[in-house]
Amino acid sequence: MFYSSLLLPDLRMSLEENDHEGMREFCLALHPAIVAEVFNELTGKEIWRVLSTCDATHQAEIFGFLSPNRQIEVVDVADRNELSKLLQEMAADERVDFLGHIDSAHVEALLPLLPVEERAEIRKLLAYPKGTAGSIMTPEFTALDENITVAEAFDQLSKQAPESETIYYIYIIDEAKRLDGIVTLRQLLVAKRTMKLVDIMRRDVLSVRVDDDEEFVASELARYDFLAIPVVDNQNRLVGIVTHDDAIDVIKEEADEDAQMAAAVQPLDESYMDTPLLVLARKRGVWLVLLLCAAFGNASLLKHYEHIEKDFAWIGWFVPLVLACGGNAGSQSATLVIREIHTRTMNRREKITLMWREARVALVLGCCMMTVAFIGSMQLVSLVEALTVSSVVCLMVLFGTVMGTLLPISFKTLGMDPALMSNPLIASLSDLLGVFVFFNATLVIMG
């Protein structure tokens, strides 16, 4: 928003004065991301007026940084011929990403603006399930035959480079387009011109399958510090690559989704400001109703134990304290475990190790919390009552931690998103357990 407040007044003045040169200079002088940030404060008609002053290449670069809503607004008002040039200038993966975010009516209206061969490629990419490697890959890569020389490779690269997403990695394929090896641009530059690619290529190529989850693909790119990773089909034929910028987008989207789910909000399809109020209320309301039902269960438990509270009035003083300890411990564990699950693939042994580790941490924390709770309780109640409160605090830290660890792991094992175990839900479940444990422990200890 910094650039919007700084540059928007000048841009609006150019629009009012119909200053074509000023609008063109605005698009060319600034980074496309900064231009798009300012454009998000304009209407689609105003955006197109500015974009139409520059060439299709710059239009495509800026268009790719606009929010989905602004992109649709621009598409609705843009000149068909100019829009056709813009779409053709877009990178293949960005074009598919854009078309994947809009409704089918817009897609069918835009496809005729593209050449026939590109339409077929787009339909093929759009057919891959959302969230897979195929849905985020680009078919624009450099691939060469292993039997050519380095000198011949440079000649072919000069022809392929303008249409490729990146030329740092050159993939070696056979006649059937099966992936056989890889050569980096650095290797080509230092190799003798007469050497064949088969003599300098690496055969142990790390690749992903076209149906692999996009989060796994992003994690592989991050794990090996790749700029791009090849995508192959079930016959090991090279069909595309996923570049580091696409992986960053996946990681960012997943982080946003996890943050929303951790706060008990259904993931938003658009940014907060672009999400309609009713949609925002629905996505938040579903979880709020679920949590309300859990709270009613808590109220029913408290009513069931009201006779105990009459005999031991001091219990009511410590109910919020006990519940908070369990909920806080559970939320901490859930957050750490969910993050650990998302950052790498874990086998069964590693999951058991993680649970054992959390159990030991819970024991240490429980003992510390019990000591603090005992000292604090002694200022308000008798020795036996303070022991009761502190013991229950220890138990709740243990139970909350175990719950916050087991539930996300269980969800992941069942093929569900572990982030569904949001912090508010963990806290609500911990509250139910806390009431049950606190009152029954009081009965056992106090008779």
Side-chain angles (χ1 to χ4, degrees):
M1 295 302 290
F2 169 76
Y3 292 106
S4 294
S5 59
L6 187 65
L7 301 172
L8 187 59
D10 290 338
L11 181 58
R12 287 201 180 279
M13 185 177 296
S14 296
L15 282 165
E16 291 172 4
E17 297 175 356
N18 203 27
D19 180 7
H20 287 259
E21 188 58 34
M23 289 186 281
R24 180 174 178 276
E25 185 63 26
F26 178 85
C27 293
L28 301 183
L30 300 170
H31 191 280
I34 297 175
V35 177
E37 180 183 326
V38 180
F39 275 4
N40 280 322
E41 301 297 320
L42 304 178
T43 65
K45 191 173 182 179
E46 290 172 330
I47 293 172
W48 182 245
R49 280 184 60 195
V50 181
L51 279 179
S52 60
T53 62
C54 60
D55 59 275
T57 301
H58 282 88
Q59 288 178 1
E61 290 176 352
I62 297 168
F63 185 82
F65 283 100
L66 292 174
S67 66
N69 279 357
R70 290 294 178 271
Q71 288 179 331
I72 294 174
E73 290 177 11
V74 170
V75 165
D76 288 338
V77 300
D79 176 78
R80 296 289 98 177
N81 291 331
E82 293 297 318
L83 185 59
S84 175
K85 295 176 184 176
L86 185 156
L87 291 174
Q88 290 181 52
E89 284 293 329
M90 291 181 71
D93 55 338
E94 289 186 1
R95 188 165 52 214
V96 171
D97 185 55
F98 160 61
L99 294 173
H101 278 92
I102 62 179
D103 57 82
S104 57
H106 275 95
V107 173
E108 294 304 320
L110 293 174
L111 284 180
L113 301 178
L114 296 166
V116 175
E117 61 274 10
E118 292 191 21
R119 290 183 225 168
E121 189 68 48
I122 288 172
R123 290 189 185 279
K124 181 180 177 181
L125 292 173
L126 287 174
Y128 289 113
K130 188 175 176 60
T132 62
S135 67
I136 61 171
M137 72 180 184
T138 176
E140 298 174 341
F141 54 86
T142 52
L144 300 174
D145 183 82
E146 64 180 19
N147 294 314
I148 65 173
T149 64
V150 171
E152 292 171 327
F154 277 116
D155 289 338
Q156 294 192 27
L157 281 178
S158 64
K159 299 174 183 177
Q160 294 188 28
E163 303 297 327
S164 299
E165 183 84 4
T166 177
I167 62 167
Y168 185 75
Y169 296 136
I170 299 98
Y171 300 101
I172 310 302
I173 57 175
D174 60 15
E175 296 81 2
K177 293 187 176 181
R178 286 189 292 266
L179 182 62
D180 282 345
I182 184 173
V183 174
T184 66
L185 187 58
R186 183 194 296 271
Q187 287 176 294
L188 284 183
L189 289 171
V190 301
K192 293 181 180 179
R193 296 298 187 265
T194 56
M195 293 182 69
K196 288 191 174 183
L197 298 189
V198 68
D199 298 322
I200 62 173
M201 73 179 191
R202 287 184 54 183
R203 293 189 178 276
D204 54 333
V205 187
L206 286 166
S207 62
V208 294
R209 291 282 296 273
V210 71
D211 54 355
D212 280 338
D213 187 89
E214 63 180 12
E215 292 178 42
F216 169 74
V217 177
S219 67
E220 289 294 282
L221 272 165
R223 181 181 179 185
Y224 296 105
D225 288 331
F226 287 160
L227 296 177
I229 193 166
V231 182
V232 298
D233 61 13
N234 55 8
Q235 295 179 352
N236 201 43
R237 291 178 301 195
L238 183 61
V239 293
I241 61 172
V242 176
T243 52
H244 66 284
D245 55 326
D246 296 315
I248 290 172
D249 290 338
V250 170
I251 293 170
K252 181 179 179 299
E253 288 174 9
E254 185 60 29
D256 289 343
E257 183 179 298
D258 286 349
Q260 290 163 6
M261 294 178 74
V265 177
Q266 287 184 344
L268 304 179
D269 299 322
E270 301 168 3
S271 67
Y272 174 81
M273 296 302 294
D274 287 334
T275 303
L277 288 178
L278 290 179
V279 174
L280 193 60
R282 175 174 59 81
K283 288 183 175 290
R284 295 170 64 173
V286 170
W287 276 98
L288 288 177
V289 170
L290 179 62
L291 295 173
L292 179 63
C293 293
F296 271 117
N298 208 356
S300 299
L301 268 179
L302 285 169
K303 184 177 184 300
H304 177 74
Y305 291 116
E306 63 180 347
H307 62 285
I308 301 176
E309 196 167 357
K310 289 179 182 177
D311 295 333
F312 306 103
W314 54 270
I315 287 182
W317 308 345
F318 296 100
V319 167
L321 180 149
V322 170
L323 301 189
C325 289
N328 293 339
S331 296
Q332 283 184 339
S333 290
T335 300
L336 294 172
V337 170
I338 290 171
R339 184 59 188 157
E340 186 67 17
I341 291 173
H342 275 312
T343 52
R344 62 192 184 94
T345 303
M346 302 179 67
N347 56 36
R348 183 179 179 183
R349 182 176 180 180
E350 289 175 322
K351 290 177 182 177
I352 293 173
T353 302
L354 188 150
M355 288 187 286
W356 172 234
R357 183 182 180 84
E358 277 296 297
R360 286 180 291 167
V361 172
L363 187 60
V364 173
L365 292 174
C367 292
C368 293
M369 295 287 284
M370 180 173 67
T371 303
V372 176
F374 178 76
I375 295 172
S377 301
M378 281 295 294
Q379 313 304 313
L380 301 172
V381 292
S382 66
L383 175 63
V384 176
E385 293 164 348
L387 282 172
T388 302
V389 173
S390 57
S391 299
V392 173
V393 165
C394 182
L395 285 174
M396 287 312 302
V397 171
L398 289 171
F399 289 155
T401 302
V402 170
M403 190 183 301
T405 304
L406 281 179
L407 290 178
I409 290 176
S410 300
F411 270 52
K412 182 67 175 180
T413 303
L414 294 172
M416 302 169 68
D417 193 334
L420 286 170
M421 282 293 100
S422 65
N423 290 339
L425 184 58
I426 291 285
S428 295
L429 295 175
S430 180
D431 287 350
L432 286 169
L433 181 63
V435 170
F436 177 82
V437 170
F438 191 16
F439 281 89
N440 281 282
T442 303
L443 280 177
V444 171
I445 296 173
M446 303 296 294

